[in-house]
Amino acid sequence: MQQIQWQDQFKIGVEIIDQAHQKLFSIVQKMMDLYVKRHEDRFACVEGIKYFKAYALKHFAEEEAYMREIGYPGYLAHKRIHDRMRREVIPDLERSLYATDFSTEAVQRFIGVCTGWLTGHIIIEDRAITGKTAGAFAAAQPTDELSVVREVILDPLQEMFGPGIQFAGQFSVRDPIVDAQYYELIYTGREGPGLRFVLVIGERLLLHAAGLLFGIDFYDRDEIVRFAMQEIAQNLVQRAAVSFGRDPYLYRLAEDRFLEHEEYTQMFEEHVPWHSLLFRAGQDHFAICIDRLPEQAGPPDGAQ
């Protein structure tokens, strides 16, 4: 496996921030090299996590100071995203690592979450600080679906994967996508019903997209890919909330999993999803289905 590489697309043009991001990527890569590839001892992983946490907290403080200095209008929303990483995500990852005695799955989760969070956060949120994100803090109109698609989904995807990603129109759940994988994310809402997102994407395109983000080649779907997708999806949901002037934590991820084809078709057998959006990526296509959940619906007891 190649190295997780820092890429020029991650630069926002502020030296102190770019240097910190590059360092955080290198720490995650070091952990991957020592523990996942070479199966070094637990001590190496413990030290890597401590270093990542200390450096991330230092970086958040510096980035927040910079946003205050330039009078960035999105400062408060951005800080709240940092606060979640500080107070919830990193502590939860640490608890999982120690509870499982640094199992391979827990380390993969740490690597996937941290890399996915960094990638999504840099491209969707940090690039907005210097106006490099096309839809940065634009006021989307909830009644204008195309505006929502462009500002909340399409623009960030183009930032991450290039201008070859295009909105292709409405998607029918019966439309075929070759070698489709069905990735479901369920979000609970503090107000009103929860939301279900289902990504329908060919395995080749999924692994290619993961490879673009990580700078490495993936030959099989694994837990690192899954956890990275989780965090990128969370960033997109947070961006959607901010675009509508809402709390970025209005919706929180409650459950995620890959579905079997039969589960997917049964899910939408009796009704059409709230939104079904088709995207083109070169010669391939993928779709995002968004559905409102009934008030009483939610993840099973104990779901993470």
Side-chain angles (χ1 to χ4, degrees):
M1 187 180 282
Q2 301 168 18
Q3 300 285 304
I4 294 176
Q5 296 179 6
W6 168 261
Q7 301 175 61
D8 285 345
Q9 67 168 331
F10 297 147
K11 290 182 178 178
I12 75 166
V14 180
E15 187 174 1
I16 190 173
I17 295 176
D18 288 337
Q19 287 177 349
H21 289 159
Q22 192 165 0
K23 182 66 174 179
L24 288 168
F25 268 96
S26 73
I27 296 169
V28 174
Q29 168 55 42
K30 187 68 173 176
M31 288 184 60
M32 189 169 190
D33 182 50
L34 287 175
Y35 199 81
V36 175
K37 290 163 62 179
R38 288 166 48 189
H39 303 288
E40 293 286 341
D41 62 27
R42 179 177 181 273
F43 176 77
C45 195
V46 172
E47 292 304 302
I49 292 161
K50 287 181 180 176
Y51 192 24
F52 179 90
K53 179 180 178 180
Y55 203 89
L57 298 184
K58 175 177 179 289
H59 162 59
F60 292 162
E62 291 174 343
E63 188 171 272
E64 288 162 13
Y66 176 78
M67 287 189 285
R68 290 194 301 270
E69 180 183 335
I70 65 171
Y72 177 53
Y75 168 75
L76 289 177
H78 196 128
K79 183 179 183 300
R80 292 198 64 188
I81 294 171
H82 283 177
D83 288 342
R84 173 181 173 264
M85 191 68 173
R86 267 188 286 242
R87 299 169 185 171
E88 298 179 33
V89 176
I90 293 178
D92 181 61
L93 291 171
E94 286 182 302
R95 284 191 294 271
S96 177
L97 287 161
Y98 283 100
T100 62
D101 196 26
F102 290 76
S103 67
T104 298
E105 181 180 355
V107 177
Q108 286 180 324
R109 180 181 177 226
F110 181 90
I111 292 168
V113 168
C114 290
T115 307
W117 190 89
L118 281 169
T119 300
H121 186 73
I122 290 169
I123 292 175
I124 297 172
E125 299 297 338
D126 287 347
R127 285 169 63 87
I129 296 172
T130 54
K132 293 181 184 293
T133 298
F137 286 93
Q141 298 300 317
T143 56
D144 181 354
E145 181 174 294
L146 189 56
S147 173
V148 174
V149 170
R150 286 175 174 165
E151 295 174 23
V152 173
I153 299 175
L154 183 58
D155 285 343
L157 288 177
Q158 288 180 335
E159 292 284 347
M160 284 186 269
F161 302 111
I165 304 291
Q166 298 293 327
F167 177 51
Q170 298 299 313
F171 171 71
S172 166
V173 295
R174 297 187 182 279
D175 289 343
I177 289 181
V178 178
D179 294 327
Q181 305 283 303
Y182 308 96
Y183 180 52
E184 177 192 47
L185 302 107
I186 292 179
Y187 289 84
T188 55
R190 291 209 311 264
E191 304 170 10
L195 295 176
R196 171 187 284 121
F197 289 76
V198 179
L199 171 66
V200 185
I201 185 170
E203 185 171 27
R204 182 184 69 172
L205 182 58
L206 171 63
L207 297 177
H208 176 67
L212 289 176
L213 292 179
F214 283 77
I216 63 180
D217 294 327
F218 286 97
Y219 301 101
D220 296 293
R221 193 187 80 200
D222 65 13
E223 290 300 284
I224 292 177
V225 173
R226 177 193 154 204
F227 289 123
M229 289 170 62
Q230 257 187 29
E231 289 305 309
I232 290 169
Q234 183 69 37
N235 273 280
L236 288 171
V237 170
Q238 289 169 347
R239 166 54 53 193
V242 170
S243 294
F244 294 126
R246 309 292 293 278
D247 181 345
Y249 298 115
L250 182 63
Y251 291 101
R252 302 294 296 273
L253 180 65
E255 183 183 7
D256 76 300
R257 64 192 179 108
F258 281 94
L259 303 172
E260 297 296 329
H261 176 72
E262 292 75 15
E263 291 181 283
Y264 164 74
T265 53
Q266 185 177 5
M267 185 177 293
F268 298 121
E269 194 172 54
E270 296 181 357
H271 78 283
V272 176
W274 181 32
H275 296 300
S276 297
L277 311 170
L278 182 67
F279 299 86
R280 184 171 59 251
Q283 299 301 310
D284 296 308
H285 289 81
F286 65 94
I288 298 175
C289 301
I290 307 170
D291 210 21
R292 288 191 179 103
L293 295 176
E295 290 278 3
Q296 69 273 19
D301 292 342
Q304 297 298 317

